[in-house]
Each structure stands twice: as structure tokens, then as C-alpha cells.
């Protein structure tokens, strides 16, 4: 595991952008399969990437969303976020966007294998220590046979994300996600973390025991796992 601690969110975003470009730029010569994160943490990173990438298409990079909250009669929350923050501003061609959804999750791991496997995945850290949609409490034990799957939203999570779906009436009470095996099979994992609100859970994830109650703790077993965190998020780590 490699840990990079930055001065602030802006520096974290710049370094994350450099890692992003490092992975994507391999796509000038060969196919690169890159799963990327939506949400608020990468927003500034995508802003930094826009002037670099919008007029400089990288032909062989294929982008994957790694989880999804379906919305009735519309695209899901994650793919919409990625379109708004990255795909549209950076003029990513639709043929390079590999959409993961409730319609194809049962066969998606085979698709990834047929595509050549994931070269990299960039993720965030959830407040309960989750990665992708693998929430704390989902597993009794880490099942490394667990590939992409669907689960029902909890009432607490429904309340938290209803506004993202446009209201309760547009929610399907379902979510789909890459499972632990899907993520651990990626050649490289990059996690970005910012803010004091993530300090306690980051400490548990990288200094505590490997525990299903903190799902992201399993990522420490990956041979190429990098965390990019600002000082606020790293404030509780042992010196």
C-alpha cells in the first residue's frame, strides 16, 4: 500500500488528476479499461482534467462506472454524475463509455473479462468504510467470490440519496455494484479521500484490523493500492 498525504483538497485533486492522466495516457497505444468514481470527492479533479482532455481525445480508453443507483425512466445516479462532471465536459465519446446498470450486472464480470480486465479503478471512501457499493454490514465475512451484485437500499440510505434520484417516487429501492472480487481483480486501485469527516474511518481502514465492518480494509491486501488523502483526512493517522 502506498499513502500520499497532501496539504489540502486542491493538492489532492491535482495529484489525483496526475494519476488519472498517467493511467488514461496508456490508451494512446492500446486499450485501457478504467473504472472511475462519481460523487463529490473527485469533482475538482475532473475540473482540472477538463482543459487537458477536452480537445485531446485518448482513443483507446474505456471508462466504467463501478456502481449504480437506478432511477425510473432515466439514467442512474452514478452515470449521470460522471456525464456531468467528466464525460460531457471532456467530450468522451459514447463508444468509450461502458455503462454498468441494473440491466446487465449479472453478466458484467464476464464482460470485463472479455474486455481484457480492469487496468485500474479509482474510488472514494464511504463514511462507513465502504468502497463502491459494498456497504458495511453487507457481508458476514469477506467473500472473494463475490462479484457484481444487486442489493436493496436501506431506509437510511434511501433518505440520504432521494434528492439525487429526483425524489422518492423515482427511486427503485435497488442498487448494483462491483463486488470485492471485481475490484480486487483490477490491476491497480487508487483511492482518493478528503476532509476531517473521513479521518476516523480512514484510520480504521488502513491502521485497524481487516474487518468486514470496514469493507475498504480488505483493499490493503491488493498488491498495487494507492491512497491519496489530504491532511485533514489523514489527521488521525499514526505519525
Amino acid at each position: 500500500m502506498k499513502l500520499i498525504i497532501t496539504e489540502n483538497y486542491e493538492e489532492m485533486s491535482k495529484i489525483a488528476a496526475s494519476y488519472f492522466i498517467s493511467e488514461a495516457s496508456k490508451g494512446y497505444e492500446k486499450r485501457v479499461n478504467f473504472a472511475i468514481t462519481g460523487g463529490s470527492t473527485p469533482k475538482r479533479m475532473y475540473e482540472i482534467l477538463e482543459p487537458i482532455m477536452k480537445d485531446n481525445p485518448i482513443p483507446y480508453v474505456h471508462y466504467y462506472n463501478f456502481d449504480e443507483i437506478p432511477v425510473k425512466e432515466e439514467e442512474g445516479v452514478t452515470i449521470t454524475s460522471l456525464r456531468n462532471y467528466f464525460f460531457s465536459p471532456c467530450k468522451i465519446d459514447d463508444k468509450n463509455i461502458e455503462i454498468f446498470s441494473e440491466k446487465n450486472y449479472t453478466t458484467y464480470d464476464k464482460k470485463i473479462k472479455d474486455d481484457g480486465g480492469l487496468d485500474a479503478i479509482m474510488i472514494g471512501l464511504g463514511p462507513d468504510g465502504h468502497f463502491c457499493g459494498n456497504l458495511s454490514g453487507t457481508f458476514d465475512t469477506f467473500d472473494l467470490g463475490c462479484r457484481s451484485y444487486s442489493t436493496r437500499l436501506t431506509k437510511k440510505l434511501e433518505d440520504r440519496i432521494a434528492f439525487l434520484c429526483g425524489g422518492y417516487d423515482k427511486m427503485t429501492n435497488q442498487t448494483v455494484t462491483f463486488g470485492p472480487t471485481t475490484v480486487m481483480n483490477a490491476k491497480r486501485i487508487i483511492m482518493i479521500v478528503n476532509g476531517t469527516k473521513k479521518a476516523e474511518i480512514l484510520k480504521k481502514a488502513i491502521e485497524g484490523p481487516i474487518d468486514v465492518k470496514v469493507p475498504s480494509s480488505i483493499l490493503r491486501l491488493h498488491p498495487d493500492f494507492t491512497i491519496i488523502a489530504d491532511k485533514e483526512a489523514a489527521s488521525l493517522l499514526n505519525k
Side-chain angles (χ1 to χ4, degrees):
M1 183 184 75
K2 180 179 182 180
L3 173 63
I4 300 170
I5 300 175
T6 69
E7 283 295 321
N8 49 44
Y9 174 67
E10 179 69 14
E11 186 182 6
M12 186 215 76
S13 300
K14 289 178 179 178
I15 292 176
S18 72
Y19 270 73
F20 192 107
I21 288 293
S22 176
E23 292 300 325
S25 63
K26 299 171 187 176
Y28 284 114
E29 298 179 353
K30 64 176 184 176
R31 177 167 176 142
V32 172
N33 299 324
F34 195 3
I36 60 175
T37 183
S40 59
T41 299
K43 185 176 180 180
R44 177 59 184 148
M45 177 189 74
Y46 290 134
E47 291 173 349
I48 292 167
L49 290 171
E50 180 180 350
I52 300 170
M53 298 187 67
K54 68 178 182 179
D55 296 316
N56 185 28
I58 304 175
Y60 306 124
V61 184
H62 288 250
Y63 296 100
Y64 300 70
N65 57 306
F66 52 68
D67 61 13
E68 191 55 271
I69 301 168
V71 177
K72 293 177 183 177
E73 300 178 0
E74 297 177 21
E75 283 198 312
V77 170
T78 302
I79 199 68
T80 298
S81 171
L82 288 172
R83 287 195 191 281
N84 291 339
Y85 291 157
F86 178 61
F87 295 147
S88 295
C90 292
K91 302 178 183 178
I92 305 300
D93 196 302
D94 280 347
K95 67 180 176 59
N96 292 74
I97 301 171
E98 308 288 349
I99 296 177
F100 172 67
S101 75
E102 76 281 8
K103 298 176 182 178
N104 62 8
Y105 73 92
T106 59
T107 58
Y108 210 79
D109 283 273
K110 182 180 185 304
K111 170 184 166 50
I112 291 173
K113 182 178 179 180
D114 291 344
D115 288 347
L118 290 176
D119 294 287
I121 182 169
M122 180 174 280
I123 60 178
L125 175 65
D128 63 349
H130 72 260
F131 63 98
C132 305
N134 299 291
L135 303 178
S136 179
T138 301
F139 309 108
D140 293 326
T141 60
F142 281 116
D143 179 3
L144 292 184
C146 183
R147 300 180 183 275
S148 301
Y149 65 96
S150 172
T151 188
R152 293 180 67 83
L153 292 169
T154 64
K155 181 63 167 64
K156 183 177 180 180
L157 188 55
E158 276 188 334
D159 292 342
R160 200 177 89 195
I161 65 174
F163 78 99
L164 295 172
C165 301
Y168 290 96
D169 59 328
K170 290 192 174 183
M171 301 181 74
T172 66
N173 195 31
Q174 181 186 14
T175 181
V176 293
T177 183
F178 286 9
T181 300
T182 312
V183 176
M184 293 290 278
N185 279 344
K187 295 183 181 72
R188 188 178 200 185
I189 303 173
I190 304 161
M191 176 181 280
I192 54 177
V193 193
N194 75 288
T196 54
K197 64 185 182 298
K198 296 291 179 68
E200 184 175 349
I201 196 62
L202 180 61
K203 182 176 178 66
K204 290 180 180 179
I206 67 175
E207 292 183 350
I210 293 175
D211 186 351
V212 290
K213 294 179 182 178
V214 185
S216 56
S217 61
I218 192 68
L219 301 178
R220 290 171 12 215
L221 300 180
H222 193 277
D224 193 346
F225 177 40
T226 299
I227 300 171
I228 308 169
D230 66 10
K231 274 190 172 181
E232 288 186 349
S235 60
L236 298 181
L237 299 180
N238 293 329
K239 300 300 182 182

Coordinates of all heavy atoms in Angstrom, one line a residue, residues 44-117:
R44 N -13.4 18.3 -8.2 CA -12.3 19.2 -8.5 C -11.3 18.6 -9.5 O -10.8 19.2 -10.4 CB -11.6 19.8 -7.3 CG -10.4 20.7 -7.5 CD -10.8 21.9 -8.3 NE -9.6 22.7 -8.7 CZ -9.5 23.4 -9.8 NH1 -10.5 23.4 -10.7 NH2 -8.4 24.1 -10.0
M45 N -11.0 17.3 -9.2 CA -10.1 16.6 -10.1 C -10.6 16.6 -11.6 O -9.8 16.9 -12.5 CB -10.0 15.1 -9.7 CG -9.1 14.3 -10.6 SD -9.2 12.5 -10.2 CE -10.8 12.1 -10.9
Y46 N -11.9 16.4 -11.8 CA -12.5 16.4 -13.1 C -12.4 17.8 -13.7 O -12.2 18.0 -14.9 CB -13.9 15.9 -13.1 CG -14.0 14.4 -12.8 CD1 -15.0 13.9 -11.9 CD2 -13.2 13.5 -13.5 CE1 -15.1 12.6 -11.7 CE2 -13.3 12.2 -13.3 CZ -14.2 11.7 -12.4 OH -14.3 10.3 -12.1
E47 N -12.5 18.9 -12.9 CA -12.4 20.2 -13.4 C -10.9 20.5 -13.9 O -10.7 21.2 -14.9 CB -12.7 21.2 -12.3 CG -14.2 21.3 -11.9 CD -14.5 22.1 -10.7 OE1 -13.5 22.6 -10.0 OE2 -15.7 22.4 -10.4
I48 N -10.0 19.9 -13.2 CA -8.6 20.0 -13.6 C -8.3 19.3 -14.9 O -7.6 19.7 -15.7 CB -7.7 19.5 -12.5 CG1 -7.7 20.4 -11.2 CG2 -6.2 19.4 -12.9 CD1 -7.1 19.9 -10.0
L49 N -9.0 18.2 -15.0 CA -8.8 17.3 -16.2 C -9.4 17.9 -17.5 O -8.9 17.7 -18.6 CB -9.4 15.9 -16.0 CG -8.6 15.0 -15.0 CD1 -9.4 13.8 -14.7 CD2 -7.2 14.7 -15.6
E50 N -10.5 18.7 -17.3 CA -11.2 19.2 -18.5 C -10.4 19.9 -19.5 O -10.4 19.6 -20.7 CB -12.4 20.1 -18.0 CG -13.2 20.7 -19.2 CD -14.3 21.6 -18.8 OE1 -14.6 21.6 -17.6 OE2 -14.9 22.2 -19.6
P51 N -9.6 21.0 -19.1 CA -8.8 21.7 -20.2 C -7.7 20.8 -20.8 O -7.2 21.1 -21.9 CB -8.2 22.9 -19.4 CG -8.2 22.5 -18.0 CD -9.4 21.6 -17.8
I52 N -7.3 19.8 -20.1 CA -6.3 18.9 -20.6 C -6.8 17.9 -21.6 O -6.2 17.6 -22.6 CB -5.6 18.1 -19.4 CG1 -5.0 19.0 -18.4 CG2 -4.6 17.1 -19.9 CD1 -4.5 18.4 -17.1
M53 N -8.1 17.4 -21.3 CA -8.6 16.3 -22.1 C -9.7 16.7 -23.1 O -9.9 15.9 -24.1 CB -9.2 15.2 -21.1 CG -8.1 14.6 -20.2 SD -8.8 13.3 -19.2 CE -9.1 12.0 -20.5
K54 N -10.3 17.8 -23.0 CA -11.5 18.1 -23.8 C -11.2 18.2 -25.3 O -12.0 17.8 -26.2 CB -12.2 19.3 -23.4 CG -11.5 20.6 -23.6 CD -12.3 21.8 -23.1 CE -11.6 23.1 -23.3 NZ -12.5 24.3 -22.9
D55 N -10.0 18.6 -25.7 CA -9.6 18.7 -27.1 C -8.5 17.7 -27.4 O -7.8 17.9 -28.4 CB -9.1 20.2 -27.4 CG -10.3 21.1 -27.2 OD1 -11.4 20.8 -27.7 OD2 -10.1 22.2 -26.6
N56 N -8.3 16.7 -26.5 CA -7.2 15.8 -26.7 C -7.7 14.4 -26.4 O -7.4 13.7 -25.5 CB -6.1 16.1 -25.7 CG -4.9 15.3 -25.9 OD1 -4.6 14.8 -27.0 ND2 -4.1 15.0 -24.8
P57 N -8.6 13.9 -27.3 CA -9.2 12.6 -27.0 C -8.2 11.5 -27.0 O -7.3 11.4 -27.9 CB -10.2 12.4 -28.2 CG -9.7 13.3 -29.3 CD -9.1 14.5 -28.5
I58 N -8.3 10.6 -26.0 CA -7.4 9.4 -26.0 C -8.2 8.2 -26.5 O -9.2 7.8 -25.9 CB -6.9 9.2 -24.5 CG1 -6.3 10.5 -24.0 CG2 -6.0 8.0 -24.5 CD1 -5.9 10.4 -22.5
P59 N -7.9 7.7 -27.6 CA -8.8 6.9 -28.4 C -9.2 5.5 -27.8 O -10.2 5.0 -28.0 CB -8.1 6.7 -29.7 CG -6.6 6.9 -29.4 CD -6.6 8.0 -28.4
Y60 N -8.2 4.9 -27.0 CA -8.5 3.6 -26.6 C -8.8 3.4 -25.1 O -8.7 2.3 -24.6 CB -7.2 2.7 -27.0 CG -6.9 2.8 -28.4 CD1 -5.6 3.2 -28.8 CD2 -7.8 2.5 -29.4 CE1 -5.3 3.3 -30.2 CE2 -7.5 2.6 -30.7 CZ -6.2 3.0 -31.1 OH -5.9 3.1 -32.5
V61 N -9.1 4.5 -24.4 CA -9.5 4.4 -23.0 C -11.0 4.1 -22.9 O -11.8 4.8 -23.5 CB -9.2 5.6 -22.2 CG1 -9.6 5.4 -20.7 CG2 -7.7 6.0 -22.3
H62 N -11.4 3.1 -22.2 CA -12.8 2.8 -22.0 C -13.1 3.0 -20.5 O -12.4 2.4 -19.6 CB -13.1 1.3 -22.4 CG -13.1 1.2 -23.9 ND1 -14.3 0.9 -24.6 CD2 -12.1 1.2 -24.8 CE1 -13.9 0.9 -25.9 NE2 -12.6 1.0 -26.0
Y63 N -14.2 3.7 -20.2 CA -14.5 4.1 -18.9 C -15.7 3.3 -18.3 O -16.7 3.1 -19.1 CB -14.8 5.6 -18.8 CG -13.6 6.5 -19.1 CD1 -13.5 7.0 -20.4 CD2 -12.6 6.7 -18.2 CE1 -12.4 7.8 -20.8 CE2 -11.5 7.5 -18.5 CZ -11.4 8.1 -19.8 OH -10.3 8.9 -20.1
Y64 N -15.6 2.9 -17.1 CA -16.6 2.1 -16.5 C -17.1 2.8 -15.2 O -16.3 3.2 -14.4 CB -16.1 0.7 -16.1 CG -15.6 -0.1 -17.2 CD1 -14.4 0.2 -17.9 CD2 -16.2 -1.3 -17.7 CE1 -13.9 -0.5 -19.0 CE2 -15.8 -2.1 -18.7 CZ -14.6 -1.7 -19.4 OH -14.1 -2.4 -20.4
N65 N -18.4 2.8 -15.0 CA -18.9 3.2 -13.6 C -19.0 1.9 -12.8 O -19.4 0.8 -13.3 CB -20.3 3.8 -13.7 CG -21.3 3.0 -14.4 OD1 -21.1 2.6 -15.5 ND2 -22.5 2.8 -13.7
F66 N -18.6 1.9 -11.6 CA -18.5 0.7 -10.8 C -19.7 0.4 -9.8 O -19.7 -0.6 -9.2 CB -17.2 0.7 -10.0 CG -16.9 1.9 -9.1 CD1 -17.7 2.2 -8.0 CD2 -15.9 2.7 -9.4 CE1 -17.5 3.3 -7.3 CE2 -15.7 3.9 -8.6 CZ -16.5 4.1 -7.5
D67 N -20.6 1.4 -9.8 CA -21.8 1.1 -9.0 C -22.9 2.0 -9.6 O -22.6 2.8 -10.5 CB -21.7 1.4 -7.5 CG -21.3 2.8 -7.2 OD1 -21.4 3.7 -8.1 OD2 -20.9 3.1 -6.0
E68 N -24.1 1.7 -9.3 CA -25.2 2.5 -9.8 C -26.5 2.4 -8.9 O -26.8 1.4 -8.3 CB -25.6 2.0 -11.2 CG -26.6 2.9 -12.0 CD -26.0 4.3 -12.1 OE1 -26.3 5.1 -11.1 OE2 -25.3 4.6 -13.0
I69 N -27.1 3.6 -8.8 CA -28.4 3.7 -8.1 C -29.4 4.0 -9.2 O -29.5 5.1 -9.8 CB -28.5 4.8 -7.1 CG1 -27.4 4.5 -6.0 CG2 -29.8 4.9 -6.4 CD1 -27.1 5.7 -5.1
P70 N -30.2 3.0 -9.6 CA -31.2 3.2 -10.7 C -32.2 4.2 -10.4 O -32.6 4.4 -9.3 CB -31.8 1.8 -10.9 CG -30.9 0.8 -10.2 CD -30.3 1.6 -9.1
V71 N -32.7 4.9 -11.5 CA -33.7 5.9 -11.4 C -34.8 5.5 -12.5 O -34.4 5.2 -13.6 CB -33.2 7.3 -11.7 CG1 -34.3 8.4 -11.7 CG2 -32.1 7.7 -10.7
K72 N -36.0 5.6 -12.1 CA -37.1 5.2 -13.0 C -37.1 6.1 -14.3 O -37.1 7.3 -14.2 CB -38.4 5.3 -12.3 CG -38.6 4.3 -11.2 CD -40.0 4.5 -10.5 CE -40.2 3.5 -9.3 NZ -41.4 3.8 -8.6
E73 N -37.1 5.5 -15.4 CA -37.2 6.1 -16.7 C -36.1 7.1 -17.0 O -36.2 7.9 -17.9 CB -38.6 6.8 -16.8 CG -39.7 5.9 -16.7 CD -41.1 6.6 -16.7 OE1 -41.1 7.9 -16.9 OE2 -42.1 6.0 -16.6
E74 N -35.0 7.0 -16.3 CA -33.8 7.9 -16.6 C -32.5 7.1 -16.3 O -32.6 6.0 -15.8 CB -33.8 9.1 -15.6 CG -35.0 10.0 -15.8 CD -35.0 11.2 -14.8 OE1 -33.9 11.5 -14.2 OE2 -36.1 11.7 -14.6
E75 N -31.4 7.7 -16.7 CA -30.1 7.0 -16.4 C -29.9 7.1 -14.9 O -30.4 8.0 -14.2 CB -29.0 7.7 -17.1 CG -28.9 7.3 -18.6 CD -27.5 7.7 -19.2 OE1 -27.1 8.8 -19.0 OE2 -27.0 6.8 -19.9
G76 N -29.1 6.2 -14.4 CA -28.8 6.1 -12.9 C -28.0 7.3 -12.4 O -27.5 8.1 -13.2
V77 N -28.0 7.4 -11.1 CA -27.3 8.5 -10.4 C -25.8 8.6 -10.7 O -25.3 9.7 -11.0 CB -27.5 8.3 -8.9 CG1 -26.7 9.4 -8.1 CG2 -29.0 8.5 -8.5
T78 N -25.1 7.4 -10.7 CA -23.7 7.5 -10.9 C -23.3 7.9 -12.3 O -22.5 8.8 -12.5 CB -23.0 6.1 -10.6 OG1 -23.3 5.8 -9.2 CG2 -21.5 6.2 -10.8
I79 N -23.9 7.3 -13.3 CA -23.6 7.6 -14.7 C -24.0 9.0 -15.0 O -23.3 9.7 -15.8 CB -24.2 6.6 -15.7 CG1 -23.5 6.7 -17.0 CG2 -25.7 6.8 -15.9 CD1 -22.1 6.1 -17.0
T80 N -25.0 9.5 -14.4 CA -25.4 11.0 -14.6 C -24.4 11.9 -14.0 O -24.0 12.9 -14.6 CB -26.8 11.2 -14.0 OG1 -27.8 10.4 -14.6 CG2 -27.2 12.7 -14.1
S81 N -23.9 11.5 -12.8 CA -22.8 12.3 -12.2 C -21.6 12.3 -13.1 O -20.9 13.4 -13.3 CB -22.5 11.7 -10.8 OG -21.3 12.3 -10.3
L82 N -21.2 11.2 -13.6 CA -20.0 11.1 -14.4 C -20.2 11.9 -15.7 O -19.2 12.5 -16.2 CB -19.6 9.6 -14.7 CG -19.1 8.9 -13.5 CD1 -19.0 7.4 -13.9 CD2 -17.7 9.4 -13.1
R83 N -21.4 11.8 -16.3 CA -21.6 12.6 -17.5 C -21.5 14.1 -17.2 O -20.9 14.9 -18.0 CB -23.0 12.3 -18.1 CG -23.2 11.0 -18.7 CD -24.4 10.9 -19.6 NE -24.7 9.6 -20.0 CZ -24.1 9.0 -21.0 NH1 -23.1 9.6 -21.7 NH2 -24.4 7.7 -21.4
N84 N -22.0 14.6 -16.1 CA -22.0 16.0 -15.8 C -20.6 16.5 -15.4 O -20.2 17.6 -15.8 CB -22.9 16.3 -14.6 CG -24.4 16.1 -15.0 OD1 -24.8 16.2 -16.1 ND2 -25.2 15.9 -14.0
Y85 N -19.9 15.7 -14.7 CA -18.5 16.1 -14.2 C -17.4 15.8 -15.2 O -16.4 16.5 -15.2 CB -18.2 15.5 -12.9 CG -19.1 15.9 -11.7 CD1 -19.2 15.1 -10.6 CD2 -19.7 17.2 -11.7 CE1 -20.0 15.5 -9.5 CE2 -20.5 17.6 -10.6 CZ -20.6 16.7 -9.5 OH -21.4 17.1 -8.4
F86 N -17.5 14.8 -16.0 CA -16.4 14.3 -16.7 C -16.7 14.0 -18.2 O -16.1 14.6 -19.1 CB -15.7 13.1 -16.1 CG -14.6 12.5 -16.8 CD1 -13.4 13.3 -17.1 CD2 -14.6 11.2 -17.3 CE1 -12.4 12.8 -17.8 CE2 -13.5 10.7 -18.0 CZ -12.4 11.5 -18.3
F87 N -17.6 13.1 -18.5 CA -17.8 12.7 -19.9 C -18.2 13.8 -20.8 O -17.6 14.0 -21.9 CB -18.9 11.6 -19.9 CG -18.5 10.3 -19.2 CD1 -19.5 9.5 -18.6 CD2 -17.2 9.8 -19.2 CE1 -19.2 8.3 -18.0 CE2 -16.9 8.7 -18.6 CZ -17.9 7.9 -17.9
S88 N -19.1 14.6 -20.4 CA -19.6 15.7 -21.3 C -18.5 16.8 -21.4 O -18.2 17.3 -22.5 CB -20.9 16.3 -20.8 OG -21.9 15.3 -21.0
P89 N -18.0 17.4 -20.2 CA -17.0 18.4 -20.3 C -15.8 18.0 -21.1 O -15.2 18.8 -21.8 CB -16.7 18.8 -18.9 CG -17.9 18.3 -18.1 CD -18.4 17.1 -18.8
C90 N -15.4 16.7 -21.0 CA -14.1 16.3 -21.6 C -14.4 15.6 -23.0 O -13.5 15.1 -23.6 CB -13.4 15.3 -20.7 SG -12.7 16.1 -19.2
K91 N -15.7 15.7 -23.4 CA -16.0 15.2 -24.7 C -15.7 13.7 -25.0 O -15.1 13.4 -26.0 CB -15.4 16.1 -25.8 CG -15.8 17.6 -25.7 CD -15.0 18.4 -26.8 CE -15.4 19.9 -26.6 NZ -14.6 20.7 -27.6
I92 N -16.0 12.9 -24.0 CA -15.7 11.5 -24.1 C -16.8 10.9 -25.0 O -18.0 11.1 -24.8 CB -15.7 10.8 -22.7 CG1 -14.7 11.5 -21.8 CG2 -15.4 9.3 -22.9 CD1 -13.3 11.4 -22.2
D93 N -16.3 10.2 -26.0 CA -17.2 9.5 -27.0 C -18.0 8.4 -26.3 O -17.5 7.7 -25.5 CB -16.4 8.9 -28.1 CG -17.3 8.6 -29.4 OD1 -18.2 7.9 -29.2 OD2 -17.0 9.2 -30.4
D94 N -19.3 8.3 -26.7 CA -20.2 7.3 -26.1 C -19.6 5.9 -26.3 O -19.9 5.0 -25.4 CB -21.6 7.4 -26.7 CG -22.4 8.5 -26.1 OD1 -22.0 9.0 -25.0 OD2 -23.5 8.8 -26.6
K95 N -18.9 5.7 -27.4 CA -18.4 4.3 -27.6 C -17.3 3.9 -26.6 O -16.9 2.8 -26.5 CB -17.8 4.2 -29.0 CG -16.6 5.0 -29.3 CD -16.2 4.8 -30.8 CE -15.0 5.7 -31.1 NZ -13.8 5.5 -30.3
N96 N -16.8 4.9 -25.9 CA -15.8 4.7 -24.9 C -16.4 4.6 -23.4 O -15.6 4.5 -22.5 CB -14.7 5.7 -24.9 CG -13.9 5.7 -26.2 OD1 -14.3 6.1 -27.2 ND2 -12.6 5.2 -26.1
I97 N -17.7 4.7 -23.3 CA -18.3 4.6 -22.0 C -19.0 3.3 -21.9 O -20.0 3.0 -22.6 CB -19.4 5.8 -21.9 CG1 -18.6 7.1 -22.0 CG2 -20.1 5.7 -20.5 CD1 -19.6 8.3 -22.1
E98 N -18.6 2.5 -20.9 CA -19.1 1.1 -20.7 C -20.1 1.2 -19.5 O -19.6 1.2 -18.4 CB -18.0 0.1 -20.5 CG -16.9 0.2 -21.5 CD -17.3 -0.4 -22.8 OE1 -18.4 -1.1 -22.9 OE2 -16.6 -0.3 -23.8
I99 N -21.4 1.3 -19.8 CA -22.3 1.5 -18.7 C -22.7 0.2 -17.9 O -23.0 -0.8 -18.5 CB -23.6 2.1 -19.3 CG1 -23.3 3.5 -19.9 CG2 -24.7 2.3 -18.2 CD1 -24.5 4.2 -20.5
F100 N -22.5 0.3 -16.6 CA -22.9 -0.8 -15.7 C -24.2 -0.4 -15.1 O -24.4 0.8 -14.6 CB -21.8 -0.9 -14.7 CG -22.1 -1.8 -13.5 CD1 -22.2 -3.2 -13.7 CD2 -22.2 -1.3 -12.2 CE1 -22.5 -4.0 -12.6 CE2 -22.5 -2.1 -11.1 CZ -22.6 -3.5 -11.3
S101 N -25.2 -1.3 -15.0 CA -26.5 -0.9 -14.5 C -27.3 -2.1 -14.0 O -26.8 -3.3 -14.1 CB -27.4 -0.3 -15.7 OG -27.8 -1.2 -16.6
E102 N -28.5 -1.9 -13.5 CA -29.3 -3.0 -13.0 C -29.7 -3.9 -14.2 O -30.2 -5.0 -13.9 CB -30.6 -2.4 -12.3 CG -31.7 -1.8 -13.3 CD -31.4 -0.5 -13.8 OE1 -30.3 0.1 -13.6 OE2 -32.3 0.1 -14.5
K103 N -29.6 -3.5 -15.4 CA -30.0 -4.3 -16.5 C -28.9 -5.3 -16.9 O -29.2 -6.3 -17.6 CB -30.3 -3.4 -17.7 CG -31.4 -2.5 -17.5 CD -31.6 -1.5 -18.7 CE -32.8 -0.5 -18.4 NZ -32.9 0.4 -19.6
N104 N -27.7 -5.1 -16.5 CA -26.6 -6.0 -17.0 C -25.6 -6.5 -15.9 O -24.6 -7.1 -16.2 CB -25.8 -5.3 -18.1 CG -25.1 -4.1 -17.7 OD1 -25.0 -3.8 -16.5 ND2 -24.5 -3.3 -18.6
Y105 N -25.9 -6.2 -14.7 CA -25.0 -6.5 -13.6 C -24.7 -8.0 -13.5 O -23.6 -8.4 -13.1 CB -25.4 -6.0 -12.3 CG -26.6 -6.7 -11.6 CD1 -26.3 -7.8 -10.7 CD2 -27.9 -6.4 -11.9 CE1 -27.4 -8.4 -10.1 CE2 -29.0 -7.1 -11.3 CZ -28.7 -8.1 -10.4 OH -29.8 -8.8 -9.9
T106 N -25.6 -8.9 -13.8 CA -25.4 -10.3 -13.7 C -24.4 -10.9 -14.7 O -23.8 -11.9 -14.4 CB -26.8 -11.1 -13.9 OG1 -27.3 -10.8 -15.2 CG2 -27.8 -10.7 -12.8
T107 N -24.2 -10.2 -15.8 CA -23.2 -10.7 -16.8 C -22.0 -9.7 -16.9 O -21.2 -9.9 -17.8 CB -23.9 -10.8 -18.2 OG1 -24.4 -9.5 -18.5 CG2 -25.0 -11.8 -18.1
Y108 N -21.9 -8.7 -16.0 CA -20.9 -7.7 -16.2 C -19.5 -8.2 -15.9 O -18.5 -7.7 -16.6 CB -21.2 -6.5 -15.3 CG -20.7 -5.2 -16.0 CD1 -21.5 -4.6 -17.0 CD2 -19.5 -4.6 -15.6 CE1 -21.0 -3.4 -17.6 CE2 -19.1 -3.4 -16.2 CZ -19.8 -2.9 -17.2 OH -19.4 -1.7 -17.8
D109 N -19.3 -9.1 -15.0 CA -18.0 -9.6 -14.7 C -17.4 -10.4 -16.0 O -16.2 -10.3 -16.3 CB -17.9 -10.5 -13.5 CG -18.0 -9.6 -12.2 OD1 -16.9 -9.2 -11.8 OD2 -19.1 -9.3 -11.7
K110 N -18.3 -11.1 -16.6 CA -17.9 -11.7 -17.9 C -17.5 -10.7 -18.9 O -16.5 -10.9 -19.7 CB -19.0 -12.7 -18.4 CG -18.6 -13.4 -19.7 CD -19.7 -14.3 -20.2 CE -19.2 -15.1 -21.4 NZ -18.7 -14.3 -22.5
K111 N -18.3 -9.6 -19.0 CA -18.0 -8.5 -19.9 C -16.6 -8.0 -19.7 O -15.8 -7.8 -20.6 CB -19.0 -7.4 -19.9 CG -18.6 -6.2 -20.6 CD -19.6 -5.1 -20.5 CE -19.0 -3.7 -21.0 NZ -18.4 -3.8 -22.3
I112 N -16.3 -7.7 -18.4 CA -15.0 -7.1 -18.0 C -13.9 -8.1 -18.4 O -12.8 -7.7 -19.0 CB -14.9 -6.8 -16.5 CG1 -15.8 -5.7 -16.1 CG2 -13.5 -6.5 -16.1 CD1 -16.0 -5.4 -14.7
K113 N -14.1 -9.4 -18.1 CA -13.1 -10.4 -18.5 C -12.9 -10.4 -20.0 O -11.8 -10.4 -20.5 CB -13.5 -11.8 -18.0 CG -12.5 -12.9 -18.3 CD -13.0 -14.2 -17.8 CE -12.0 -15.3 -18.1 NZ -12.4 -16.6 -17.6
D114 N -14.0 -10.4 -20.8 CA -13.9 -10.4 -22.2 C -13.3 -9.1 -22.8 O -12.6 -9.1 -23.8 CB -15.3 -10.5 -22.9 CG -15.9 -11.9 -22.6 OD1 -15.2 -12.8 -22.2 OD2 -17.2 -12.0 -22.8
D115 N -13.4 -8.0 -22.0 CA -12.8 -6.7 -22.4 C -11.3 -6.7 -22.1 O -10.6 -5.8 -22.5 CB -13.4 -5.6 -21.7 CG -14.8 -5.3 -22.2 OD1 -15.2 -5.8 -23.3 OD2 -15.6 -4.5 -21.5
G116 N -10.8 -7.7 -21.4 CA -9.4 -7.8 -21.0 C -9.1 -7.5 -19.6 O -7.9 -7.4 -19.2
G117 N -10.1 -7.3 -18.8 CA -9.9 -7.0 -17.3 C -9.7 -5.5 -17.1 O -9.4 -4.7 -18.0

